[in-house]
Amino acid sequence: MTVAWIGLGAMGAPMAGRLATEHDTLVWNRTASVAAAHEREHESRAVDDLADVGEADVLFSCLPTTAEVADVVDRLVASLAPDTVWVDCTSGDPAPSRTVAATLADGGIDYLDAPVSGGTDGAASGTLTIMVGGDQNVLEQVHPLLELLGDRIVHVGPTGAGHATKAINNMLLAANLWTAVEGLAALVRQGVPGATALEVINGSSGQSFATERIIAERVVTREFPVTFTLGLLAKDAGVAQSVLDDSEIPAPALRALGELIRATRNELGPDVDHSAVAQLVERWADVEIS
Ligand code: NDP
């Protein structure tokens, strides 16, 4: 089987590298030098011309948003054989992804939305959670490939359901992160060192991925390594607002949080790590959580 990967960013590069350990893997990246470096490191096969990925049986994309996915689909669809499967690992937008799926379906190509959670560490170790929307029979066809990428592969519903699930998940991440840093800033003001407060919270009912991993490893250490940008989290907040609108339910807390995350992106810029939201709260509170 030949597979192809489109988009060798922080997530795409290690994920494509894992496929290349077992399959002939074509890689294309907008900046071609990145694909050439991937070929050297992972024994994948870099292609300069996007149309050349058309020889693959299964195509993966991992791009910033559905807009970039729609663009590459439009450029490629005429050169894809019927029965190709397109697996989109972008954290994308459900409604425009259904349009992408319809465009591909016209050419006989199946589309699955398959966004992932687990960060760059999970991408490198093949321990991602993969949430899949689309036809379950198509998922069965590509399941062995997904098993190289993740250890929890869940069919969540029809096309777009994977993207919707991912957007809501990331709002919960943002909620836990934001409220934890506010609470920790207050505790520092009360004379409780940030690391001490975290030790307690991580053994108590307030614990979350944000407190256990993000704040402990990125904020308290003052490292703020850039692996998942605030720009991408703000993009996910926008997707989540669309999901809420489409669902027609009142969700005042999630809507307010979405506004907050996007305002924070405007304040700090899109290229900082998402953990940098702590720096804004620290600035407001005039404390350091460490
Ligand atoms: P990066 O910014 O690291 O990589 C983005 C990739 O998309 C690069 O390969 C870039 O190419 C390519 N690209 C950007 N714009 C275009 C375009 N117009 N046309 C073609 N290619 C383009 O992003 P990540 O890898 O961090 O994220 C990718 C997706 O995965 C996002 O949807 C994100 O939300 C999601 N995600 C990210 C996680 C993380 O921890 N980083 C975790 C889980 C999901 P070039 O090299 O030329 O810039």
Side-chain angles (χ1 to χ4, degrees), residues 7-12 28-31 34 62-65 68 72 89-91 116-117 119-120 166 227-228 232 235-236:
L8 299 168
M11 293 298 284
W28 179 88
N29 195 70
R30 179 181 61 175
T31 305
V34 174
C62 190
L63 297 171
T65 75
E68 290 83 29
V72 291
C89 296
T90 306
S91 299
V116 303
S117 183
T120 51
K166 173 66 182 174
T227 66
F228 176 49
L232 288 175
K235 172 266 300 179
D236 293 333

Side-chain angles (χ1 to χ4, degrees), residues 174-190:
N176 288 328
L177 178 59
W178 190 280
T179 52
V181 291
E182 280 188 1
L184 288 167
L187 289 174
V188 171
R189 277 296 184 98
Q190 296 293 314

